[in-house]
Every structure is written in C-alpha cells, then in structure tokens.
Amino acid sequence: KFIDFKNKAVSFLVSNASAQKIVQLALQQVGNSGEKYQTAAGLSTVDAWCAAFCQWLLNQCNILPENVGASLCADDWAEAAQKKGYIQMASSGYTPKAGDFMFLNYNNDVLADITHICIVVSVDGNSITTVDGNWNNKVAKVSRNINDSEICAYLTMHYRTSYLDITTGELTGDDKQALDYLATVNYDNS
C-alpha cells in the first residue's frame, strides 16, 4: 500500500530489505550460471532468466513480489511498475540509484517491448554498473554509458529502512516515522 497524507508519502512497500542488501547479494552472484535461478522460478534450463534472477534477488531479501509486480518476464515487470508509478524513463534525465532495476529495449525506447532487466549496483558520472542475469548465460557485472540508447527505463524501488531493536522493542527508521505521523493525524485503520 502507498498512503499519502497531506502530500507526505508513507511507504509500506517492501519488507525489511535495503538497497544495500540486495546490491550486495547481486554482486555475490556474479559468475554463477542460471540454473539456480531457473530452477527456483520453475523454468527449464533453456528459458531466458534475467527476470527470474531479479525475482530471486527479491525473494532472498524477503521483498514481496506483488509489491513490485514482479514476474518471470521483464516486460511484465515494466508494465506493472508503470501502472504503479514506479517507472522513471531514461530519457527523463533521472539519475538511477543502487538498488533500482533497469530495463533495456534493444529495439526502441518504449516500455512495450522490454527485452532485459538487471539491477543497478552503482552510478559514477556517466557510467552505470549493473548486475545482469542471463548475460552470456551467466550472472555478470556490466558497465554501460548512462546515455546508452538501449537503456529504456528504471524501476525505482521503495526500500524501507526500519529496524526493531530487540533489546528495547523500539521501532526506528521509516516505519517509526510513519507510525508517529499516523498517530499525529489520528489515523484509524479499522
């Protein structure tokens, strides 16, 4: 759910994951073949698996797939994310962040025909580095120019940064701020 109170966006989109955690996990997969990700997704070893790799990352970080409309097809991700307003077109001048997913289209710059999805791990000036599943049948770290014509759009993830201190029972971060704000406006969820 995405709740907007008095133009203050409160995100409840993903569970206990951060961009740093998913990026670190993606980097640890570099060099792997696709069999692990294809098997986890119920695909055969001849099926394309870039979206299955991205889905596996989300699953490993306990991010609920329905929150980002994930599927095993890159163009389905793009369509679902666009409907939810999580898409930034590359042509808009948006600067991607580590943890965003990047859509590539080798034919044109429209979301209707996405051919590849990968995860952004860093941006340095005009250089964008991603981890790509199904890149020459492996997980690979790939560097591209941020103005590459094949880069179509970015899925901007809404990662929460919340922690429950088990010694005090105190909630910190985004969730605490959201709950504190909801209390100030006498929000009733019943």
Side-chain angles (χ1 to χ4, degrees), residues 100-147:
D100 285 351
F101 288 90
M102 184 171 79
F103 296 108
L104 293 120
N105 182 326
Y106 299 114
N107 302 317
N108 52 49
D109 68 347
V110 297
L111 286 173
D113 190 27
I114 296 300
T115 50
H116 188 69
I117 184 172
C118 51
I119 187 165
V120 175
V121 296
S122 67
V123 178
D124 185 13
N126 283 336
S127 179
I128 185 168
T129 303
T130 59
V131 173
D132 297 41
N134 202 20
W135 192 261
N136 295 322
N137 296 317
K138 299 255 185 232
V139 176
K141 189 174 174 183
V142 180
S143 291
R144 298 174 176 88
N145 184 296
I146 202 163
N147 298 311

Side-chain angles (χ1 to χ4, degrees), residues 8 11 82 98 122 137 166:
K8 180 173 179 158
S11 177
Q82 185 176 34
S122 67
N137 296 317
I166 59 171

Side-chain angles (χ1 to χ4, degrees), residues 9-144:
V10 183
S11 177
F12 294 102
L13 297 175
V14 295
S15 61
N16 293 332
S18 68
Q20 185 178 33
K21 181 178 177 181
I22 199 167
V23 164
Q24 184 178 45
L25 178 62
L27 288 167
Q28 292 168 354
Q29 305 308 304
V30 171
N32 290 350
S33 69
E35 189 173 350
K36 171 167 69 173
Y37 317 106
Q38 290 165 310
T39 300
L43 298 173
S44 78
T45 56
V46 297
D47 290 325
W49 53 276
C50 62
F53 172 69
C54 293
Q55 181 64 59
W56 182 88
L57 291 171
L58 294 175
N59 289 343
Q60 295 303 303
C61 291
N62 297 315
I63 300 172
L64 303 175
E66 63 267 25
N67 291 333
V68 290
S71 83
L72 300 178
C73 185
D75 55 351
D76 288 346
W77 278 56
E79 181 182 341
Q82 185 176 34
K83 285 179 182 175
K84 293 182 179 196
Y86 302 159
I87 289 290
Q88 294 289 333
M89 297 302 293
S91 59
S92 73
Y94 172 76
T95 301
K97 303 178 302 296
D100 285 351
F101 288 90
M102 184 171 79
F103 296 108
L104 293 120
N105 182 326
Y106 299 114
N107 302 317
N108 52 49
D109 68 347
V110 297
L111 286 173
D113 190 27
I114 296 300
T115 50
H116 188 69
I117 184 172
C118 51
I119 187 165
V120 175
V121 296
S122 67
V123 178
D124 185 13
N126 283 336
S127 179
I128 185 168
T129 303
T130 59
V131 173
D132 297 41
N134 202 20
W135 192 261
N136 295 322
N137 296 317
K138 299 255 185 232
V139 176
K141 189 174 174 183
V142 180
S143 291
R144 298 174 176 88

